[in-house]
Amino acid sequence: MKLSTRSRYGARILVDLARNSHQGPVQIGEISKRQDISVKYLEQLIIPLKKAALITSVRGPKGGHMLS
């Protein structure tokens, strides 16, 4: 089965959040560095993941994203 780039990157985001969520919310910049994906593209990918209720966002200086 062949997955689109968006699907593969979305799965990589979810795995990265699962691995690093013990530290609290994970910022997009950190995911970008670890996964070598641009921040702008990550921002576009996170929107459908939030709408599907797979991840939640936390606002503020120590904010970021976590698995739901």
Side-chain angles (χ1 to χ4, degrees), residues 25 57-64:
S57 298
V58 178
R59 297 179 68 158
K62 298 209 181 223

Side-chain angles (χ1 to χ4, degrees), residues 1 20 30 32 41 59 67:
M1 181 166 82
N20 298 295
E30 296 173 10
S32 174
Y41 195 52
R59 297 179 68 158
L67 291 177

Side-chain angles (χ1 to χ4, degrees), residues 9-57:
Y9 283 0
R12 285 171 54 183
I13 292 168
L14 293 174
V15 169
D16 189 274
L17 288 173
R19 285 185 179 168
N20 298 295
S21 63
H22 63 280
Q23 302 168 356
V26 181
Q27 295 180 347
I28 291 180
E30 296 173 10
I31 299 171
S32 174
K33 289 177 188 172
R34 284 193 293 263
Q35 298 298 324
D36 195 30
I37 304 171
S38 74
V39 173
K40 287 215 174 255
Y41 195 52
L42 278 176
E43 290 170 347
Q44 293 174 5
L45 293 176
I46 284 183
I47 293 168
L49 293 174
K50 284 173 39 178
K51 285 184 181 177
L54 295 172
I55 63 173
T56 57
S57 298

